[in-house]
Amino acid sequence: MTTFDPQTVLDSLEAEYAARATAIRRDLTASHSADSAEQAGERQNDEVLQALLVEAEQGQAQAAQAKLRLSGGSYGLCQRCGVAIAPARLQALPTAAFCLGCADLAE
């Protein structure tokens, strides 16, 4: 059984999201076809890529925020109620800022 190392996991997540965002930005700057029918499909693809870019940027920001909490000593504590976040939740969602109860309230 491996030990959960939040710093390593968060560093990896942040790098993964950054690489994903870079690749998506590169794809978005690719030129489009001169054919109008193909352009319509490419524009739809661009919309999907834009949504994926937003997700990647949000993931990168969440990882960075979690790293700040880790360095500040508040990682693993719910940002709403202050209760310790379950270790299983942190392993499944290393960027979790809320305990399960508070996360349910936020939704």
Side-chain angles (χ1 to χ4, degrees), residues 8-107:
T8 301
V9 171
L10 293 170
D11 286 344
S12 177
L13 270 176
E14 188 175 29
E16 180 182 325
Y17 283 124
R20 189 178 304 169
T22 299
I24 293 168
R25 283 188 200 98
R26 183 185 61 241
D27 290 347
L28 283 168
T29 60
S31 62
H32 290 81
S33 171
D35 181 273
S36 61
E38 284 186 34
Q39 269 188 13
E42 290 170 346
R43 298 282 182 220
Q44 286 179 331
N45 289 343
D46 285 353
E47 290 175 17
V48 171
L49 286 174
Q50 286 288 351
L52 291 173
L53 178 59
V54 168
E55 287 180 11
E57 289 172 337
Q58 288 174 343
Q60 187 178 5
Q62 289 171 350
Q65 291 167 356
K67 287 171 61 175
L68 287 174
R69 290 193 302 275
L70 184 63
S71 67
S74 64
Y75 180 79
L77 298 177
C78 178
Q79 299 297 292
R80 179 170 287 135
C81 71
V83 171
I85 299 170
R89 177 166 169 75
L90 288 173
Q91 286 182 356
L93 185 62
T95 60
F98 303 108
C99 67
L100 195 54
C102 288
D104 285 343
L105 290 175
E107 293 175 358

